[in-house]
Amino acid sequence: MSTDGSREPVGVIGTGYVGLVTAAGFAALGSEVYCVDIDEDKIRGLEEGRIPIWEPGLEELIAVHRERLHFSTDLAPALAHARVLFVAVGTPPTYSGDADLSAVHAVVDAMPASDRHALVMKSTVPVGTGESIERALAQQDKGFAYVSCPEFLKEGSAVQDFLEPDRVVIGEDGGWAGDAVEALYAPLGAPIVRTDVKSAEMVKLASNAFLATKISFINEIANVCEETGADVVEVARGMGLDDRIGPKFLQAGIGFGGSCFPKDVAALKQLAGNSGYHFQLLNSVIEVNELQKRRVIAKLQKHLGSLVGKEIALLGLAFKANTDDMREASSLVLSARLQGAGARVRAYDPVAEAEARKLISGVAFASSAAEAVAGADAIVLVTEWPEFRELDLAEVAAAMRGSLLVDGRNFLDPGAARAAGLVYEAIGRPSQSPSPVSAG
Ligand code: UDX
């Protein structure tokens, strides 16, 4: 890895989670990085060392390479110093499920004419976006090169994912820019996939849709396990050792959330539909995921009967551990459904409370797991935060009014929970309720 300053400088447009991790990563590889964002508060904060997102290792990486990171609301410094400009602006879903590309188009429109620069698309966009941007750039005589270089960063391990990618995908239709992007990533030693723009765009959507499908698949297996007495954790272990299947993304739970999977699955489905193809499988992936979030309610009702007036404690709110991101978190649906059923909901999350407060209403926030569970009729473990494994379950059982623990992530040890006096329910694992089936 070169740190002698001789590496290609880069611009990064958009300082959200993808943009900041990308910027910090290239700074760590030795590039001068010119970050641009239209949000003045965010840029001021970054200049003062305030990182707007909670991502393990990011603050430290930015601090270490601070002298190579430059922040501005103005495009000029990036254009003056860098010929490769990564675009990492938001592409949120619209009502129809299509991606909203207005921020991407705003970036394209803001570019001056130049045959020296390249736009490198990191934002997730529908297949065909690159082609239409290239057309717009040509029509406006802007002369920019265009590269699709999708990001595969996972929240919570984004820094590591940048530095140790499984692959780097570079889509371009000829010219100098693909080689320049490949040279930027070369020190990481990852397999590089050079391809055309449309295929690169599709690699991103298809990868996320496939992983989401894997999760909905194992969640359906879990639901069948509940009917048949099999244990989905054992089933996933047995399946995952098959090299063709692999062990990852086979954890049954309360459904996937986050900023990517729900959006990208909807976008791919919509993209297919817009071109006249009905992507049946993705409809099911989405539907299974929606139902999965709600199955917890039935588990609670099975033990508690009516939920009216019941005190339910949610442990964790973020869409997964190691992030404060609440986008599409299953806890949003769960807390709303619980309140709809008449329950009183209290919640504790070690880092996501501030984000959760913006999106959830009617929930009492606790400042510790112990405070959340005290006097509760039931607990639902929503997010697999490591600290929940450290809980003294006997103390938890003693502090509760009831004794039901629904483990929405199959995260805790069923034997230990039951030994502590809790009624333990999980996802796709043998249930504790008195079995109506007699052996014979
Ligand atoms: C995802 C992709 O993994 C990443 O490559 C992409 O660029 C951005 O989207 P992220 O959203 O950060 O990353 O989270 P990820 O770790 O992939 O988990 C997504 C959701 O699936 C979470 O809600 C998680 O809890 C859930 N999940 C994951 C499961 O329910 N079971 C699993 O086995 C794995």
Side-chain angles (χ1 to χ4, degrees):
M1 178 190 312
S2 163
T3 51
D4 59 11
S6 65
R7 289 191 31 93
E8 170 108 34
V10 301
V12 176
I13 303 170
T15 58
Y17 140 82
V18 173
L20 268 185
V21 173
T22 304
F26 281 127
L29 293 179
S31 290
E32 294 293 318
V33 182
Y34 296 84
C35 301
V36 190
D37 201 294
I38 51 170
D39 185 333
E40 288 180 13
D41 287 344
K42 206 187 249 183
I43 290 297
R44 202 173 312 118
L46 284 164
E47 278 175 330
E48 290 164 8
R50 284 197 306 279
I51 312 302
I53 52 168
W54 193 89
E55 180 65 36
L58 182 59
E59 193 166 352
E60 294 82 343
L61 197 66
I62 289 179
V64 171
H65 301 288
R66 181 66 186 84
E67 79 286 358
R68 282 202 280 273
L69 286 159
H70 314 275
F71 300 101
S72 175
T73 52
D74 187 357
L75 270 172
L79 287 164
H81 294 283
R83 48 179 200 150
V84 177
L85 303 173
F86 287 88
V87 180
V89 295
T91 53
T94 59
Y95 265 121
S96 62
D98 288 298
D100 176 355
L101 296 178
S102 50
V104 168
H105 290 307
V107 170
V108 174
D109 291 343
M111 291 300 146
S114 164
D115 50 15
R116 200 176 71 81
H117 290 93
L119 281 184
V120 184
M121 190 58 64
K122 280 261 149 231
S123 303
T124 302
V125 292
V127 179
T129 304
E131 188 180 57
S132 71
I133 291 177
E134 283 180 290
R135 208 169 34 238
L137 288 166
Q139 275 165 2
Q140 296 169 27
D141 277 333
K142 287 195 169 161
F144 266 70
Y146 184 87
V147 177
S148 166
C149 183
E151 64 83 19
F152 301 99
L153 309 174
K154 295 185 292 298
E155 294 187 27
S157 59
V159 170
Q160 191 191 341
D161 291 346
F162 179 92
L163 296 171
E164 296 165 31
D166 289 345
R167 78 301 207 187
V168 175
V169 177
I170 300 171
E172 37 99 29
D173 298 323
W176 60 273
D179 292 342
V181 175
E182 180 168 351
L184 278 167
Y185 280 103
L188 300 176
I192 305 261
V193 180
R194 293 286 294 263
T195 184
D196 59 282
V197 169
K198 284 185 177 174
S199 300
E201 290 168 342
M202 185 59 104
V203 169
K204 168 69 195 224
L205 289 175
S207 297
N208 274 358
F210 182 79
L211 292 170
T213 302
K214 217 173 164 187
I215 298 170
S216 276
F217 180 84
I218 200 68
N219 281 338
E220 288 219 278
I221 293 291
N223 299 341
V224 179
C225 284
E226 287 179 10
E227 300 302 321
T228 55
D231 183 337
V232 74
V233 174
E234 295 300 303
V235 174
R237 190 160 64 96
M239 287 171 64
L241 288 169
D242 186 324
D243 218 23
R244 295 166 301 176
I245 298 173
K248 294 180 181 165
F249 284 71
L250 280 183
Q251 280 154 38
I254 51 170
F256 58 78
S259 65
C260 285
F261 283 1
K263 171 176 83 106
D264 293 352
V265 173
L268 181 52
K269 185 191 126 178
Q270 198 64 21
L271 176 76
N274 290 345
S275 31
Y277 182 73
H278 180 54
F279 204 143
Q280 300 195 53
L281 187 57
L282 292 186
N283 279 332
S284 302
V285 169
I286 294 167
E287 197 176 311
V288 168
N289 198 50
E290 286 310 313
L291 293 173
Q292 199 68 13
K293 299 174 194 173
R294 292 159 172 83
R295 282 177 67 90
V296 168
I297 307 283
K299 286 179 191 290
L300 291 167
Q301 285 167 333
K302 184 172 96 182
H303 290 272
L304 302 178
S306 164
L307 298 183
V308 174
K310 297 289 185 330
E311 296 278 350
I312 310 294
L314 303 183
L315 291 186
L317 292 166
F319 84 94
K320 65 174 190 179
N322 289 323
T323 177
D324 66 347
D325 201 334
M326 284 294 298
R327 283 176 286 180
E328 301 285 335
S330 296
S331 61
L332 298 173
V333 168
L334 188 57
S335 60
R337 290 306 311 128
L338 284 170
Q339 291 181 76
R344 286 201 291 269
V345 182
R346 59 290 251 304
Y348 165 69
D349 189 288
V351 301
E353 181 183 328
E355 290 301 310
R357 280 183 184 275
K358 298 178 193 163
L359 297 170
I360 291 182
S361 60
V363 167
F365 289 93
S367 56
S368 66
E371 188 186 324
V373 303
D377 292 295
I379 299 170
V380 182
L381 192 149
V382 176
T383 311
E384 68 284 23
W385 284 106
E387 70 170 68
F388 298 148
R389 278 220 175 107
E390 309 302 318
L391 287 172
D392 181 328
L393 295 177
E395 276 178 21
V396 169
M400 292 173 69
R401 183 163 74 187
S403 58
L404 177 60
L405 169 63
V406 179
D407 183 351
R409 298 290 187 162
N410 292 343
F411 189 59
L412 302 177
D413 175 8
R418 288 173 184 143
L422 291 163
V423 175
Y424 178 82
E425 281 270 354
I427 308 293
R429 312 198 76 179
S431 167
Q432 192 177 346
S433 55
S435 170
V437 182
S438 81

